[in-house]
Amino acid sequence: NGDAPAVTLATFWNDLGPDENEIVVAPAFTVQGKAAVDDYIREIESALFEPLVIGSQKLDFQDAYREMYLDAWKDFVDYFPKGLARLPDRDRWKQAGMRMPTKKGPHLALLDTMAAELAAYKDVDGLPGWVDLVHRFKSVSLQAKAAGREGDPEPGILKKASQAVSSKLGRLEQATGVNVTDALNFEAQMEAGKAYNQYRDALTELVPIVDSRKAAFKVASTLYSEDPAEGESAFSKARRGQRRLRTVLGGATGDTERFWDLVNGPIRFYHTYVAREAQCQLQSIWEKEVYLEVQDIPQGTNLNQLLMGTDGFATQFLKGPAEPFIGRSRSKGYFARSVDGQALDLNPDFLTFLT
């Protein structure tokens, strides 16, 4: 494979902690590695008096190599979310958060990389659904770039818009080698482009949370209290953009879930980030507004009333800053509310104490 490098999580996440079981894409299964393999086969053929004599073996090898090539990237995509757990400290989380909505962000960078690395097999029959979606997503990103953020065209100018966008797409296709118009009709392309821009714009709105714990806490409070179907938070808008993309691009089978998990990765990153920051902020508020207030109280004071009475310190905490994150039911008592499968990591003993 010559000097082709392996593809690792550090290629996209940067400064990760170690993992002795890390999964990488071996050099042989990259564009550069494939070129070396192809050159080696050509050298063998050139050394033979009759190259066709190895024709069947060559085809068998190419079929097996293609399967191993795609499997290597599939395994890497499945392992990719573990990069989140390997960020060693808050500074690395913040750095990742600053890059997340951009093409240098881990998830979007991987999608871009795979569009190039898997291009050799783009037109192969029986291509896995997730690979097809990688190429469609690349086409949509080019469509979004060409269409800009102009909004919905008036019916009377649709043809003119089509011509203008098609002209831009032609230039982008020449520059990237990606055929943008090969899978979707114009209306679907426009819808996909708008959904992509909605998704990216919403992610960009979330960037400021990495600079302020209070800002992250405010966003988390909204996330855990709003109706996701009607909410106007950046999280809700990003999810709606992702769902619009999914509707236009298709792909709801198990084979394609790994692709959509990757697209959902930046949303999941910011969700995890604000949840972690909210935990720290709630701890600080509890210590200041509850714990310190009940220190050195006079002997004989009704501590339960002081904490859990109508105007008790813990009651005010639960009705105030903690309200979006902590629920209460007859069967469970106090519990950590969950959104998209994520709840704040509250100490069970703390919840039992409140109950």
Side-chain angles (χ1 to χ4, degrees), residues 89-99 210-211 273:
D89 52 46
R90 186 167 180 255
D91 284 343
R92 299 304 191 280
W93 275 77
K94 293 175 70 172
Q95 291 170 16
M98 293 295 292
R99 295 184 292 115
V210 304
D211 283 331
Y273 185 88

Side-chain angles (χ1 to χ4, degrees), residues 285-286 289-291 293-294 303-323 326 334 350 353-355:
I285 294 172
W286 172 266
E289 298 184 5
V290 181
Y291 180 75
E293 293 293 340
V294 297
L303 182 59
N304 186 59
Q305 183 66 24
L306 189 63
L307 285 171
M308 302 301 294
T310 302
D311 296 316
F313 294 115
T315 300
Q316 294 305 308
F317 173 79
L318 291 169
K319 289 181 177 180
E323 196 276 333
I326 299 177
Y334 286 99
F350 170 71
F353 162 76
L354 293 176
T355 301

Side-chain angles (χ1 to χ4, degrees), residues 98-315:
M98 293 295 292
R99 295 184 292 115
M100 195 60 60
T102 73
K103 288 299 185 73
K104 293 183 180 180
H107 303 84
L108 295 180
L110 176 58
L111 286 165
D112 252 6
T113 296
M114 288 197 299
E117 294 287 350
L118 303 175
Y121 299 118
K122 182 179 180 182
D123 299 318
V124 171
D125 291 337
L127 196 67
W130 71 271
V131 179
D132 180 58
L133 284 173
V134 167
H135 296 302
R136 288 188 176 216
F137 190 82
K138 178 63 177 181
S139 297
V140 166
S141 71
L142 295 177
Q143 166 67 35
K145 182 177 181 180
R149 291 168 169 76
E150 300 297 329
D152 296 320
E154 296 295 330
I157 65 170
L158 185 58
K159 184 175 181 180
K160 183 181 293 185
S162 176
Q163 292 171 343
V165 172
S166 295
S167 176
K168 290 182 180 179
L169 288 177
R171 294 194 294 272
L172 286 168
E173 287 173 349
Q174 288 181 354
T176 63
V178 176
N179 185 352
V180 179
T181 58
D182 61 357
L184 305 172
N185 60 36
F186 176 73
E187 289 78 8
Q189 292 169 33
M190 292 292 288
E191 175 64 20
K194 287 188 290 184
Y196 177 87
N197 283 334
Q198 177 183 350
Y199 165 79
R200 288 281 302 278
D201 289 347
L203 293 179
T204 301
E205 286 184 40
L206 289 168
V207 171
I209 66 174
V210 304
D211 283 331
S212 168
R213 178 165 288 168
K214 289 184 178 180
F217 181 76
K218 182 178 180 180
V219 169
S221 298
T222 301
L223 171 64
Y224 278 82
S225 58
E226 72 176 353
D227 180 348
E230 299 179 357
E232 288 302 314
S233 74
F235 278 106
S236 290
K237 289 187 283 188
R239 289 196 195 96
R240 287 198 291 271
Q242 194 249 33
R243 286 196 294 270
R244 288 175 67 190
L245 271 174
R246 189 163 188 152
T247 298
V248 178
L249 297 183
T253 66
D255 181 53
T256 59
E257 281 306 309
R258 62 175 47 88
F259 167 82
W260 290 113
D261 283 347
L262 196 58
V263 174
N264 192 51
I267 302 174
R268 187 167 52 247
F269 170 89
Y270 284 123
H271 188 159
T272 303
Y273 185 88
V274 298
R276 288 162 61 106
E277 293 293 280
Q279 289 167 201
C280 294
Q281 186 70 1
L282 279 181
Q283 178 68 30
S284 177
I285 294 172
W286 172 266
E287 291 176 357
K288 180 180 178 181
E289 298 184 5
V290 181
Y291 180 75
L292 289 179
E293 293 293 340
V294 297
Q295 297 301 298
D296 302 322
I297 58 175
Q299 188 174 2
T301 300
N302 188 329
L303 182 59
N304 186 59
Q305 183 66 24
L306 189 63
L307 285 171
M308 302 301 294
T310 302
D311 296 316
F313 294 115
T315 300

Side-chain angles (χ1 to χ4, degrees), residues 65-78:
Y65 176 73
R66 179 178 66 248
E67 184 175 349
M68 290 187 292
Y69 193 108
L70 296 177
D71 281 347
W73 283 97
K74 179 193 70 175
D75 292 343
F76 185 72
V77 170
D78 291 346

Side-chain angles (χ1 to χ4, degrees), residues 9 16-24 79 82-83 85-86:
L9 287 195
L16 294 177
D19 179 4
E20 61 182 15
N21 298 313
E22 180 170 5
I23 293 174
V24 305
Y79 175 73
K82 293 188 181 296
R86 291 174 56 191

